[in-house]
Amino acid sequence: MGNTDTGYPSSRVAIPPPQPFLKSLKYSLKETFFPDDPLKQFKNQPASKRLVLGLQYFFPIFKWGPQYTMKFLKSDIIAGITIASLAIPQGISYAKLGNLPPILGLYSSFIPPLIYAMMGSSRDLAVGTVAVGSLLMASMLGREVNPKENPKLFLHLAFTATFFAGFFQASLGLFRLGFIVDFLSHAAIVGFMGGAATVVCLQQLKAIFGLEHFTHEADVVSVMRSVFTQTHQWRWESTVLGCCFIFFLMVTRYFSKRQARLFWVSAMAPLTSVILGSLLVYFTHAEKHGVQVIGELKKGLNPVSVRDLVFVSPYMTTAIKTGLITGIIALAEGIAVGRSFAMFKNYHIDGNKEMIAFGTMNIIGSFTSCYLTTGPFSRSAVNYNAGCKTAASNIVMAIAVMLTLLFLTPLFHYTPLVVLASIIVSAMLGLIDYEAAIHLWKIDKFDFLVCISAYMGVVFGSVEIGLVIAVVISVLRVLLFVARPRTFVLGNIPNSGVYRNVEQYPNANHVPGILILEIDAPIYFANASYLRERILRWIDEEEDNIKATGKTSLHYVIMDMTAVGNIDASGISMLEEIKKIIDRRGLQLVLVNPGSEVMKKLHKAKFIEEIGHKWIYLTVEEAVGACNFMLHTHKPNHTKDEPEGWNNV
């Protein structure tokens, strides 16, 4: 439709038809909580089919199970046995790191993988305990209960914290609140995981130097003070043994990285270290010369622990806080790892379903003497490289751990703690991703600041402080994006009808008498005041430039609102103020391409009537054409109140 008000042919920006409030609310809620439309598959299906689809949704094993083949079984058995060889020594090591009985590491590698195999949507994730979660649990629960003075209560609190972690994870998935985890940005996770890995490595100095007394604090200053104030108690036997095994583990990792087909070398190295270390201690009686060993591990499967959960004050508060924090970290790591390997194999995993799976396995785990589990990167990488085809590799791993619990636990009696420390150190060094930090520095300095702040917070403060710093800085950045959106001056690319940012395209030409601005974000109460000041400053700067150069005076201010997806009442008030100020200066405000939500609200606020529909255009090219037409054929600076005949020439 031609714009007859100005006499310049253009397309009119449409005002969308009004929508009922409940319909708009329903659409907004759907886009917020169901962006993947999980209920689509249930539409137009009979009740029996819906039941089957519902079972497959919550238990994916019913989906891939009927299609399982012997070829898949062969691959999954190889992968499952391979990750079991890594899971057994790692499980024992991480349980010790969490100040928990070593047998809990094996318990936690038996029941949770079975639950995940039924409910998880990732084919590659290998479930088990993680060092960061173990450290967090030891640190946070240790402030309330001393694990040496009251080991039974500490153990029960660990089960309770695991229960609340699982409850929180499952709730996020059921209520479709997974986007909360997204507030932990990639930069924050890199810094936090690197800091936690550094702290974990420092904690292993106790076993490597053979110290009996050590600080319970996790910061680098406390740890180094504890190490160097006890130099007279260092055990050279333990130190030499630790350094040799760390070197052995790092060499095997190096060869596995250089040759992908040798992945099994690195995967088998921890179990090999345990066997060699145990044989060395057994034949040399090194436990009598300062080399500490695990001691007796009782045989048998997981005992029931549901009655051990602590729901009384003041311990319950500590358990809830520990569960929430460890649950978030476990979710962030598990989902990130699952998505990474899914991307390699070109399939999709549902984040909310993963949360339900993690939550369920931790809730059931807390009832069966397990503590916090998720999908660690090292174990999942081994599973992926071993050629797993489905989540059945977790079942094979669980069976291998079950056999170990039933028959092989006495063999770990002579396993030296320094070997477990070496396994932890070698695994944690891979989490200190300095290459990712350098990459962040090159791409985005603010992301690097988030990363290094999280790292320093963990290393020099505590794991909780580092996590809080990471989240606060990430949220602050989001708020800065919202509160301080970018605005640009646009110019015309020569020999085209395209208008782009003059800073990005220095060859873009300013249009005489017209200032073209682009707003690059929705307009809300948080940024309305800033945008008002910034737009007026753009106008002042343009007028100053015109005075300095003696060019044609400014007549029109065009605001490209293509990127303004929404606007609230404060934003509309800001536009009304801008229009009044521009009117007083004898200028004309022109809008370009407001979105449907923006047009709807501007119409309801009667701002369109105030500015005049003739001053709203679909494209910047049309707006500039109309303004130039008016400049050359009419007296500029007319308003909606001018006589009708003024524009119909």
Side-chain angles (χ1 to χ4, degrees):
M1 180 186 296
N3 193 331
T4 57
D5 287 9
T6 60
Y8 181 82
S10 64
S11 301
R12 186 179 292 275
V13 179
I15 301 172
Q19 296 285 345
F21 172 73
L22 291 179
K23 185 176 180 180
S24 299
L25 179 63
K26 180 182 177 181
Y27 176 80
S28 298
L29 291 175
K30 180 182 177 182
E31 289 303 306
T32 301
F33 298 107
F34 301 95
D36 54 341
D37 195 12
L39 302 178
K40 181 180 180 181
Q41 59 180 326
F42 296 95
K43 293 177 181 177
N44 303 320
Q45 297 289 348
S48 58
K49 181 66 173 178
R50 290 183 181 181
L51 178 61
V52 172
L53 290 173
L55 282 173
Q56 291 178 347
Y57 181 81
F58 288 103
F59 298 94
I61 192 171
F62 289 118
K63 188 173 183 179
W64 56 263
Q67 305 168 5
Y68 202 72
T69 64
M70 290 301 296
K71 183 179 180 181
F72 286 177
L73 179 61
K74 179 182 176 182
S75 299
D76 286 337
I77 287 176
I78 294 173
I81 293 174
T82 305
I83 56 176
S85 68
L86 178 64
I88 292 169
Q90 272 192 352
I92 295 172
S93 304
Y94 293 159
K96 289 290 293 181
L97 178 63
N99 292 327
L100 296 167
I103 195 68
L104 252 68
L106 297 182
Y107 290 161
S108 302
S109 297
F110 172 44
I111 297 294
L114 293 176
I115 304 299
Y116 184 82
M118 292 187 291
M119 301 187 68
S121 57
S122 173
R123 306 171 195 166
D124 304 282
L125 211 64
V127 170
T129 56
V130 287
V132 175
S134 304
L135 176 66
L136 268 171
M137 199 160 281
S139 173
M140 298 183 71
L141 296 181
R143 293 173 187 170
E144 185 71 29
V145 177
N146 190 309
K148 291 185 177 179
E149 296 175 1
N150 200 340
K152 187 175 181 180
L153 178 58
F154 186 88
L155 176 62
H156 293 175
L157 281 179
F159 294 150
T160 311
T162 301
F163 170 80
F164 282 114
F167 179 80
F168 177 65
Q169 292 170 334
S171 299
L172 286 180
L174 286 171
F175 292 105
R176 315 288 294 182
L177 297 174
F179 61 85
I180 293 176
V181 181
D182 294 337
F183 281 99
L184 280 173
S185 65
H186 172 69
I189 291 175
V190 168
F192 174 79
M193 297 298 285
T198 302
V199 169
V200 169
C201 289
L202 292 174
Q203 287 282 336
Q204 303 319 301
L205 294 176
K206 174 187 177 182
I208 291 174
F209 288 116
L211 301 174
E212 293 186 7
H213 304 287
F214 206 70
T215 179
H216 293 293
E217 300 297 325
D219 64 283
V220 62
V221 176
S222 300
V223 170
M224 299 312 292
R225 184 188 296 119
S226 182
V227 169
F228 287 102
T229 54
Q230 302 183 77
T231 52
H232 57 287
Q233 295 184 13
W234 289 6
R235 299 279 187 174
W236 69 267
E237 302 94 336
S238 182
T239 305
V240 171
L241 200 61
C243 291
C244 289
F245 277 109
I246 290 175
F247 178 75
F248 168 69
L249 291 165
M250 296 306 295
V251 168
T252 58
R253 173 173 291 184
Y254 172 79
F255 281 112
S256 294
K257 283 188 174 181
R258 290 291 299 270
Q259 294 289 335
R261 68 177 185 275
L262 297 178
F263 70 91
W264 56 271
V265 174
S266 177
M268 298 295 292
L271 186 59
T272 304
S273 299
V274 168
I275 294 171
L276 291 175
S278 300
L279 291 174
L280 182 65
V281 170
Y282 179 77
F283 287 111
T284 63
H285 302 288
E287 77 277 11
K288 298 178 181 179
H289 301 282
V291 178
Q292 302 172 12
V293 296
I294 290 178
E296 183 180 357
L297 291 179
K298 64 178 183 179
K299 294 169 64 175
L301 301 181
N302 304 33
V304 176
S305 57
V306 64
R307 294 182 179 179
D308 296 334
L309 302 184
V310 181
F311 296 120
V312 296
S313 182
Y315 303 117
M316 185 174 172
T317 304
T318 302
I320 291 175
K321 185 174 73 170
T322 304
L324 291 179
I325 293 178
T326 55
I328 289 176
I329 295 301
L331 273 185
E333 180 176 359
I335 292 177
V337 171
R339 284 177 175 168
S340 298
F341 289 110
M343 181 180 65
F344 293 150
K345 288 189 177 179
N346 196 28
Y347 68 94
H348 173 72
I349 66 170
D350 187 327
N352 287 292
K353 286 167 64 175
E354 288 293 281
M355 291 176 189
I356 296 173
F358 287 152
T360 304
M361 73 182 186
N362 279 313
I363 290 173
I364 295 177
S366 69
F367 297 160
T368 53
S369 299
C370 304
Y371 78 105
L372 185 76
T373 52
T374 184
F377 178 80
S378 57
R379 206 172 300 183
S380 300
V382 169
N383 194 31
Y384 173 83
N385 288 321
C388 68
K389 299 299 181 182
T390 68
S393 59
N394 279 284
I395 299 176
V396 176
M397 177 185 71
I399 293 172
V401 173
M402 178 190 73
L403 295 174
T404 302
L405 284 168
L406 289 173
F407 306 110
L408 303 179
T409 49
L411 300 179
F412 293 98
H413 183 281
Y414 289 100
T415 300
L417 297 184
V418 67
V419 170
L420 301 182
S422 302
I423 292 171
I424 293 175
V425 169
S426 65
M428 290 301 97
L429 289 176
L431 292 180
I432 304 175
D433 197 350
Y434 64 90
E435 292 180 351
I438 295 172
H439 185 64
L440 290 172
W441 170 262
K442 292 178 180 178
I443 294 177
D444 191 321
K445 301 298 189 291
F446 197 101
D447 269 344
F448 176 79
L449 175 63
V450 172
C451 175
I452 202 67
S453 298
Y455 180 86
M456 301 299 283
V458 173
V459 171
F460 290 98
S462 67
V463 177
E464 302 96 294
I465 290 174
L467 178 61
V468 170
I469 289 175
V471 172
V472 167
I473 295 180
S474 296
V475 172
L476 178 62
R477 187 172 196 192
V478 172
L479 294 177
L480 284 175
F481 279 139
V482 173
R484 295 293 182 267
R486 299 294 301 274
T487 58
F488 311 102
V489 173
L490 304 184
N492 177 238
I493 302 296
N495 303 317
S496 75
V498 178
Y499 292 81
R500 291 292 182 267
N501 180 5
V502 295
E503 292 183 2
Q504 184 179 0
Y505 298 90
N507 64 325
N509 298 321
H510 289 268
V511 182
I514 303 173
L515 173 62
I516 311 170
L517 301 177
E518 178 183 358
I519 300 175
D520 198 27
I523 304 176
Y524 294 121
F525 65 92
N527 60 27
S529 179
Y530 165 77
L531 284 173
R532 181 184 61 247
E533 302 304 325
R534 190 66 187 94
I535 291 169
L536 293 177
R537 185 146 55 93
W538 279 124
I539 295 172
D540 290 339
E541 291 174 0
E542 181 68 13
E543 290 183 332
D544 290 343
N545 289 337
I546 288 172
K547 289 178 182 177
T549 57
K551 295 180 180 178
T552 306
S553 60
L554 182 63
H555 297 293
Y556 295 95
V557 177
I558 298 176
M559 287 174 51
D560 184 0
M561 302 180 71
T562 302
V564 181
N566 211 328
I567 192 169
D568 67 358
S570 299
I572 294 173
S573 297
M574 181 274 292
L575 289 179
E576 291 172 344
E577 290 181 47
I578 289 289
K579 185 183 182 310
K580 290 176 182 177
I581 295 171
I582 286 178
D583 285 348
R584 286 198 296 267
R585 295 191 182 190
L587 306 176
Q588 175 62 53
L589 178 64
V590 182
L591 303 184
V592 170
N593 197 28
S596 60
E597 280 296 310
V598 177
M599 281 296 288
K600 183 167 62 178
K601 292 181 180 179
L602 292 181
H603 175 65
K604 289 180 178 179
K606 298 187 177 180
F607 182 77
I608 292 178
E609 293 180 18
E610 186 177 342
I611 190 175
H613 209 143
K614 61 187 177 185
W615 296 115
I616 303 177
Y617 293 88
L618 274 177
T619 66
V620 175
E621 183 181 11
E622 284 187 359
V624 171
C627 293
N628 277 328
F629 179 80
M630 297 297 293
L631 279 172
H632 292 94
T633 60
H634 299 292
K635 177 183 175 182
N637 308 332
H638 19 27
T639 68
K640 69 180 182 65
D641 297 322
E642 289 173 341
E644 185 70 25
W646 180 267
N647 296 300
N648 297 326
V649 177

